[in-house]
């Protein structure tokens, strides 16, 4: 049986071969391998695309979250407030920075952090509220700014899944105080390996991220800031990302169209999370049903690969056993048992999309 894959990176690599080779030869010819002209040009292009004053390249999305948290955590505070259904990346980054993580429940309809739940969990010990634009859907960041700012907290957007999504107020990454991006190969804008970035229009915070990503140096061999590390975006990856950026919007539109086709054809018992319009980047096609495992078996029988994003909420991860035993997040926990991701990526063929539609419609 020919499976419909969750992703097939080889298709884009083949289609973009000449463009990718040009990025390779351009980098070779330049002689720059880190923090050269391509890196600077990509930072500028990303900042301009997002609508932020500055973008800072780093080595991964998790590093972007960690450095953004370290750079923006207000003095005297150590707590991060976020949702528990976003794959554990913010949790990993915050714990690595030595911060405590507090969780609030998600909204039943969007599966994004619920402003009302966040309001209840927020107090003046929280320094950063991390809002994840999960699955590609732009969250209403202004609601969190209105909650956080009066208490002296900042809002960090996790844009790893949503680059390109926009609200009336602007693109994700320009809506909060600081934002983190991942260029992991399966992301809507993917590198040929790991990569990430931080964007912000707050100059002091951008400067801190630039310092922290390179050993905490204020100048060469002068450690001016404690807590620094080595987290750089390679010159070659920057060249590849800059080459791919102009095609991002078209790829996102194709993703939304595919998810729209699933929504139109799925049977009544399967709810396809909507991905309509520019406020969604179509990163993941997520369906919800109380009979998740049966649907998964049904799709597998039709040769369709699936995945769950994400099966274990952060507060139930085995590594933190006991720490959050008393915390119950009913909407988060119920969703984790009912969600299923089906294939979506721009190079999916029309006949593959049709097979997924048929399978979702015959359940
Ligand atoms: C929502 C979200 N945040 C952060 C990350 C972390 O990015 P990276 O894998 O580049 O560290 C990812 C994906 O991997 C993600 O999906």
């Amino acid at each position: 049986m020919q499976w419909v894959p969750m992703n097939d990176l080889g298709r884009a690599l083949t289609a973009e071969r000449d463009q990718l080779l040009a990025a390779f030869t351009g980098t070779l010819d330049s002689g720059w391998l880190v923090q050269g002209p391509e890196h600077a040009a990509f930072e500028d292009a990303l900042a301009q695309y997002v609508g932020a004053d500055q973008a800072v390249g780093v080595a991964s999305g998790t590093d972007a979250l960690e450095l953004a948290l370290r750079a923006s955590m207000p003095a005297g505070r150590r707590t991060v407030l976020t949702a528990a259904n976003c794959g554990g990346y913010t949790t990993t980054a915050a714990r690595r920075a030595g911060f405590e993580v507090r969780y609030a429940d998600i909204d039943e309809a969007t599966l994004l952090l619920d402003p009302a739940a966040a309001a209840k969990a927020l107090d003046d010990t929280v320094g950063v509220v991390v809002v994840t634009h999960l699955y590609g859907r732009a969250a209403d960041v202004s609601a969190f700014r209105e909650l956080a700012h009066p208490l002296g907290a900042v809002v960090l957007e996790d844009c790893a899944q949503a680059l390109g999504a926009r609200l009336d107020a602007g693109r994700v990454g320009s809506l909060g105080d600081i934002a983190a991006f991942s260029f992991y190969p399966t992301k809507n804008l993917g590198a040929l390996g790991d990569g990430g970035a931080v964007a912000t229009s707050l100059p002091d915070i951008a400067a801190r991220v630039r310092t922290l990503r390179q050993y905490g140096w204020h100048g060469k061999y002068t450690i001016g800031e404690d807590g620094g590390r080595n987290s750089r975006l390679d010159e070659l990856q920057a060249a590849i990302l800059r080459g791919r950026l102009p095609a991002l919007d078209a790829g996102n539109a194709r993703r939304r169209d595919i998810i729209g086709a699933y929504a139109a054809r799925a049977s009544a018992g399967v709810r396809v999370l909507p991905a309509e319009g520019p406020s969604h980047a179509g990163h993941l096609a997520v369906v919800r049903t109380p009979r998740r495992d049966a649907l998964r078996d049904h799709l597998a029988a039709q040769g369709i690969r699936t995945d769950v994003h994400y099966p274990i909420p952060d507060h139930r991860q085995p590594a933190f056993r006991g720490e959050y035993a008393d915390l119950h997040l009913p909407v988060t926990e119920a969703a984790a048992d009912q969600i299923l991701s089906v294939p979506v990526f721009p190079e999916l063929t029309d006949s593959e999309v049709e097979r997924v539609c048929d399978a979702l419609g015959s359940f």
Side-chain angles (χ1 to χ4, degrees):
M1 179 166 48
Q2 190 71 23
W3 285 84
V4 181
M6 279 299 286
N7 225 315
D8 180 355
L9 299 176
R11 297 183 192 184
L13 296 181
T14 303
E16 297 169 18
R17 188 179 171 81
D18 290 346
Q19 178 185 321
L20 296 170
L21 287 174
F24 271 93
T25 49
T27 305
L28 281 182
D29 291 346
S30 80
W32 285 91
L33 297 176
V34 290
Q35 294 187 347
E38 273 299 337
H39 183 262
F42 174 65
E43 287 187 336
D44 287 348
L46 181 68
Q48 197 185 0
Y49 177 83
V50 162
D53 284 354
Q54 296 194 51
V56 184
V58 297
S60 74
T62 310
D63 280 5
L65 285 167
E66 183 190 338
L67 298 184
L69 285 169
R70 284 183 188 271
S72 63
M73 181 63 76
R77 303 198 186 185
R78 309 199 56 75
T79 302
V80 175
L81 176 67
T82 193
N85 68 328
C86 300
Y89 307 104
T90 291
T91 295
T92 299
R95 292 176 77 101
R96 211 164 59 175
F99 298 143
E100 279 178 28
V101 188
R102 188 181 297 175
Y103 300 105
D105 215 343
I106 54 173
D107 178 81
E108 175 76 34
T110 64
L111 303 188
L112 305 179
L113 182 63
D114 178 5
K120 283 195 198 127
L122 203 54
D123 58 30
D124 63 10
T125 67
V126 173
V128 184
V129 178
V130 180
V131 182
T132 303
H133 302 293
L134 192 67
Y135 306 145
R137 181 180 178 125
D140 177 10
V141 177
S142 65
F144 295 99
R145 283 208 324 259
E146 280 163 28
L147 293 172
H149 285 179
L151 290 170
V154 302
V155 177
L156 191 168
E157 298 173 74
D158 181 348
C159 304
Q161 300 190 0
L163 181 57
R166 63 153 68 239
L167 299 176
D168 289 342
R171 283 211 169 92
V172 301
S174 69
L175 306 171
D177 299 297
I178 185 166
F181 302 85
S182 165
F183 307 119
Y184 181 74
T186 59
K187 297 297 189 247
N188 293 24
L189 180 66
L192 301 193
D194 281 306
V198 173
T200 182
S201 295
L202 299 171
D204 293 353
I205 290 184
R208 279 202 77 198
V209 176
R210 288 185 196 281
T211 299
L212 291 172
R213 78 171 167 186
Q214 183 146 269
Y215 320 118
W217 281 357
H218 273 174
K220 207 171 178 191
Y221 310 135
T222 305
I223 302 169
E225 184 124 12
D226 204 6
R229 46 199 302 236
N230 171 5
S231 180
R232 290 183 288 235
L233 177 66
D234 294 340
E235 185 78 354
L236 177 60
Q237 301 297 358
I240 284 159
L241 291 165
R242 194 160 75 95
R244 284 181 153 181
L245 186 57
L248 175 66
D249 289 342
N252 288 357
R254 168 74 178 152
R255 289 169 177 272
R256 284 192 295 269
D257 286 349
I258 293 169
I259 299 172
Y262 297 162
R265 300 271 297 278
S267 68
V270 179
R271 188 166 80 83
V272 179
L273 266 60
E276 290 153 12
S279 64
H280 207 295
H283 180 62
L284 287 172
V286 178
V287 307
R288 184 168 181 174
T289 167
R291 297 170 56 221
R292 190 260 307 279
D293 294 343
L295 176 62
R296 198 168 196 185
D297 291 346
H298 172 77
L299 291 170
Q302 321 281 320
I304 293 157
R305 299 267 187 223
T306 58
D307 205 343
V308 176
H309 297 94
Y310 295 93
I312 307 175
D314 294 14
H315 65 300
R316 293 287 178 258
Q317 288 291 348
F320 319 137
R321 185 156 290 143
E323 205 172 316
Y324 293 101
D326 296 336
L327 176 66
H328 294 289
L329 301 170
V331 187
T332 299
E333 289 158 24
D337 293 335
Q338 298 185 350
I339 49 176
L340 188 67
S341 302
V342 296
V344 65
F345 57 99
E347 298 79 22
L348 214 51
T349 65
D350 289 346
S351 67
E352 287 172 325
V353 173
E354 191 61 23
R355 280 177 63 193
V356 179
C357 286
D358 283 347
L360 288 172
S362 59
F363 178 67

